[in-house]
Amino acid sequence: MRILTVGAGAVGGWFGARLHRAGHDVTFLVRPRRAAALRARGLRVTGLGEETTLVPRLVTADEPAQAYDLVLLSVKSTALDRAAKDLAPAVGPRTAILPLLNGMAHLERLAELFGRKAVLGGVAKVVTTLDGHGDIVRLAPPSAILTGELDGAPSARVDAVRALLTGAGIDSPDTPDITAAMWHKWVFISALGASTCLLRGSVGEFNAVPGGAELARALLAEAAAVSAAAGYPVPDAELDFTTRTVTTAGSRLTPSMYRDVLAGRPTEVEHVLGDLVARARALAVRTPLLDLATLQLRVHQHRTAAQPVREDAG
């Protein structure tokens, strides 16, 4: 299976590196500045006892492309349209596109561009970031990709992708309803992102002050209510896990959205929170706290839009 990983940032770089190390045919489609850095330093992965440097196969959008069997799309939602344009020459009639973005809005955009049959559902579970050198730092143990056909039907290509991932040490459990799994991840990342961005602190920091845990629970309740109204109630076990995650005393956990705010970068506010609150309105679900978090991040977005554009790390 010929694999194209679109983006070599914290998510795409991590999973692509795992597949590369397992001996698979992996190529990274990256922007010119990221390509130059990777050619100079290699693709480096650190954290949790790992120190790995790979020499990846790289292509940029201006290079000739062939059709790939599998495309792992792992860019920020703000770069989706540009990435889709870049990868278009790599998509053939049998190519499966596996997007690893948060939220749901990207599915319609990809279906519009490449046809619904080309697109799989996907959920990435990994806690990584890029350091100042552009190296990938793993912060916590999870390493999983959930995938499936969007209509829920079993398929040979999903079985093949799951076997490929599992063989590379990436958990990929059977997921009968990938749409539900995507909604449930959306609830998780919305509650975590809204809590840390609204309260301007890590999970441990806002839980250390009166009212912090209560606000996090309230934000989670709003997000879960939207998912339930859409037909995808969050199972009790997952809801309990997310509750524990956002109310753990001393936790240093922060999502990428909050790290982007601290760094003065644009965030995925519209894809993650803006789309969620819009769906809440359509479903007649009240989300005053999520609305407030969305508004605050839109102000941040407006501010960063006036700053010079920085090339995406992917």
Side-chain angles (χ1 to χ4, degrees):
M1 190 178 291
R2 299 184 67 239
I3 305 165
L4 180 68
T5 299
V6 183
V11 175
W14 166 259
F15 288 119
R18 299 292 292 183
L19 291 164
H20 181 281
R21 287 181 59 191
H24 294 293
D25 183 352
V26 181
T27 300
F28 293 88
L29 173 60
V30 292
R31 307 300 297 176
R33 191 172 70 176
R34 182 63 167 158
L38 291 172
R39 288 181 177 126
R41 290 178 56 82
L43 179 59
R44 301 189 180 198
V45 179
T46 66
L48 302 185
E50 180 177 357
E51 296 284 342
T52 302
T53 301
L54 307 175
V55 180
R57 183 186 299 119
L58 306 174
V59 293
T60 55
D62 58 349
E63 298 179 64
Q66 304 177 37
Y68 288 78
D69 301 303
L70 176 66
V71 173
L72 290 180
L73 179 57
S74 56
V75 298
K76 294 280 190 179
S77 62
T78 50
L80 177 61
D81 283 343
R82 183 177 65 184
K85 180 180 178 180
D86 291 348
L87 72 87
V91 178
R94 298 177 60 116
T95 302
I97 302 173
L98 174 50
L100 302 177
L101 287 77
N102 292 316
M104 305 288 287
H106 59 279
L107 295 178
E108 290 303 320
R109 182 59 177 151
L110 292 172
E112 175 187 336
L113 294 171
F114 302 109
R116 186 167 294 278
K117 289 184 178 179
V119 184
L120 296 172
V123 171
K125 296 186 178 184
V126 66
V127 186
T128 50
T129 189
L130 294 181
D131 67 13
H133 300 290
D135 299 341
I136 300 165
V137 182
R138 191 181 185 195
L139 304 174
S143 176
I145 293 178
L146 311 184
T147 188
E149 300 288 352
L150 291 173
D151 63 4
S155 75
R157 68 172 181 172
V158 167
D159 292 341
V161 170
R162 289 183 55 238
L164 177 107
L165 296 170
T166 301
I170 301 166
D171 292 338
S172 188
D174 183 30
T175 308
D177 190 344
I178 189 61
T179 302
M182 292 178 68
W183 266 98
H184 301 160
K185 170 69 182 297
W186 196 3
V187 169
F188 175 89
I189 201 65
S190 296
L192 181 60
S195 298
T196 52
C197 291
L198 194 57
L199 296 172
R200 285 296 191 271
S202 68
V203 169
E205 287 174 329
F206 69 69
N207 273 280
V209 300
E214 289 75 11
L215 182 61
R217 289 191 185 95
L219 284 161
L220 173 56
E222 289 186 0
V226 181
S227 187
Y232 303 99
V234 182
D236 289 343
E238 290 195 40
L239 204 56
D240 289 345
F241 172 79
T242 304
T243 300
R244 291 195 302 273
T245 299
V246 298
T247 59
T248 299
S251 172
R252 299 173 62 185
L253 179 63
T254 58
S256 61
M257 180 180 287
Y258 177 62
R259 296 194 293 271
D260 285 340
V261 168
L262 290 185
R265 295 188 293 259
T267 71
E268 296 183 289
V269 56
E270 296 303 336
H271 200 77
V272 176
L273 294 181
D275 188 31
L276 186 66
V277 299
R279 294 181 191 233
R281 298 292 81 75
L283 294 165
V285 177
R286 294 187 68 255
T287 55
L289 295 175
L290 288 172
D291 292 347
L292 179 60
T294 303
L295 179 60
Q296 185 192 69
L297 286 166
R298 282 173 172 162
V299 172
H300 169 83
Q301 203 82 346
H302 181 74
R303 183 185 301 121
T304 58
Q307 299 173 356
V309 177
R310 296 174 56 186
E311 185 181 72
D312 187 83

